[in-house]
Each structure stands twice: as structure tokens, then as C-alpha cells.
Amino acid sequence: MTDTKNLTQLGTNVEAPQNPEAAVLETVPFSRGDGPPAIVRFTCPEFTSLCPVTGQPDFAHIVIDYAPDTLLVESKSLKLFMTSFRNHGAFHEECTVMIGRRIVAATKPLWLRIGGYWYPRGGIPIDVFWQTGAPPEGAWLPDTGVAPYRGRG
């Protein structure tokens, strides 16, 4: 059974953090076992942040794939972390890479990639990709499932 005694957010009423710096990414132990590493995917199709210049909302479809080593990111804490960007002013590139780096810092995975598929502002969609290195040998990496921009649907 997974040890959850150190979790402070799961199963409790927690207010959304006011910014990403205040958000806490919690982890739970993971046993990889034998064979190729597992790939875990989180998809956030309704991610929002704020333009740092205009304060207008920006929208993205975020896809995170990672190969956990000994820790998994706890999903409620990830949801709260992602929600904390709603009041955060930063450019698309900064938001996308910040998410990836925070998950890496919390879980120390074998590998992580993140794709931020940002909806257009001013007619130009911006897609941001970041990963920690080459994918692990033998891991199955599915397509991100996000269409090239054509109304993102």
C-alpha cells in the first residue's frame, strides 16, 4: 500500500495557491519494478495564465509526460499548482518551462517532457516544448494527441 501519511492536500479542503511559488507539489513513493519504465501523462486542456504586459488571460493545452523513478507527483497537488497560474503573469515560454522544472525538482524523474500548446493571441499560436534529455530506452512514448493548430480541435 502506498504511504500517504505525509500528504497535506489530498482529502482535505485546500484553498488554491495565489501564485506558483506558493503552490506545493507533493509526492508519493513509486516502485518502478522490472522492465522498461512507465510513462505517466497529465493533460491540462484548460490551462490559464495572464499576459505579463496586458493582464489578459492566456489559454493553453498542456501535456506532461514523465518516467517516474522513485516518486510520483500527487495529482491534487498538481491540479492546485496548475490552478495557481490563473493569477500569474508570465510569457508562454516561462510558464511552460516553469511547470516542467517544478515537477522535475519535486519528483526527480528518469525523464520528463512538457508541451504547452498555447491558443493564439494576435493570430499566432505559440507551442513550447521542453524535456530533460533523451527518453529512457524501451519506454513507449505516445503522440501528445494535440493537433497542429487549426482551431486546436
Side-chain angles (χ1 to χ4, degrees), residues 60-104:
H61 185 142
I62 305 286
V63 179
I64 303 159
D65 291 322
Y66 77 110
D69 188 13
T70 61
L71 296 171
L72 298 170
V73 65
E74 191 281 312
S75 63
K76 181 176 181 181
S77 73
L78 179 66
K79 291 171 196 171
L80 289 166
F81 172 60
M82 299 297 272
T83 299
S84 73
F85 281 86
R86 288 184 180 170
N87 298 317
H88 180 72
F91 291 114
H92 303 335
E93 298 84 352
E94 182 184 347
C95 288
T96 305
V97 174
M98 177 191 288
I99 293 165
R101 287 187 172 149
R102 283 285 303 274
I103 295 170
V104 167

Side-chain angles (χ1 to χ4, degrees), residues 24-60:
V24 176
L25 281 174
E26 296 188 326
T27 61
V28 294
F30 176 69
S31 178
R32 280 196 324 118
D34 296 331
I39 300 297
V40 176
R41 171 169 289 170
F42 289 106
T43 304
C44 186
E46 299 174 348
F47 180 85
T48 59
S49 65
L50 298 177
C51 173
V53 176
T54 66
Q56 294 294 311
D58 287 321
F59 301 89

Side-chain angles (χ1 to χ4, degrees), residues 37-41 64-67 111-113 131 133-145:
I39 300 297
V40 176
R41 171 169 289 170
I64 303 159
D65 291 322
Y66 77 110
W111 174 81
L112 178 139
R113 77 174 174 190
Q131 69 182 31
E137 181 133 357
W140 178 64
L141 300 175
D143 181 79
T144 62

Side-chain angles (χ1 to χ4, degrees), residues 102-121:
R102 283 285 303 274
I103 295 170
V104 167
T107 65
K108 298 173 183 42
L110 301 172
W111 174 81
L112 178 139
R113 77 174 174 190
I114 183 169
Y117 301 86
W118 294 83
Y119 289 84
R121 299 264 320 266

